[in-house]
Amino acid sequence: MNQPNANRDLHREKNLLTVAYALQAASLALGFTYVLAAIIGHLMRASVAGTWLDSHRRWQLRTFWFSLLWGVLGAATALWGIGYFILIADLMWIIYRIVQGWAALSRNQPVDSQPAQTQ
């Protein structure tokens, strides 16, 4: 991990990522806010590089780009019926990604790490 970034206060960046998750969630009703969340992710590249927050930025951007890909594929194949199943799966996947990411962010954990198991 990049040492200078590891020791600084990341409160502002965490708040921006929280806003991005909220925009992704709002997009389920509004649509256009999904693009705003992706723009935030792209603009935050340098500010979170080398920190645990970078995993959230990557998570949000991958959610955006892959859901866009599956959304286009689903829309293109909707005429044959299979597209509706693709679109439903895409929607469920988006919801899963928002919930998982936001929950990890609220626990101050990278999104790709699992909580420790207690025995």
Side-chain angles (χ1 to χ4, degrees):
M1 197 161 18
N2 188 346
Q3 195 61 26
N5 284 341
N7 292 329
R8 64 187 190 129
D9 181 26
L10 297 171
H11 185 71
R12 177 184 169 275
E13 288 83 358
K14 182 181 175 189
N15 285 343
L16 278 173
L17 287 166
T18 301
V19 167
Y21 279 121
L23 289 170
Q24 284 183 327
S27 74
L28 298 173
L30 301 175
F32 72 94
T33 60
Y34 207 44
V35 175
L36 296 176
I39 291 170
I40 289 172
H42 283 292
L43 292 176
M44 290 186 71
R45 184 179 309 261
S47 66
V48 296
T51 70
W52 65 275
L53 292 173
D54 195 38
S55 70
H56 288 278
R57 184 195 62 80
R58 285 190 321 269
W59 180 269
Q60 290 173 349
L61 287 176
R62 287 179 181 155
T63 301
F64 174 80
W65 288 112
F66 280 105
S67 68
L68 185 64
L69 171 71
W70 286 109
V72 168
L73 182 65
T77 59
L79 188 61
W80 296 286
I82 187 75
Y84 294 107
F85 294 106
I86 294 171
L87 291 171
I88 290 168
D90 188 29
L91 177 62
M92 291 172 31
W93 183 74
I94 292 168
I95 293 168
Y96 164 80
R97 300 273 294 192
I98 293 169
V99 170
Q100 287 296 111
W102 209 343
L105 183 66
S106 70
R107 292 188 308 266
N108 293 325
Q109 294 178 336
V111 75
D112 48 7
S113 72
Q114 298 297 321
Q117 298 281 333
T118 57
Q119 296 183 16

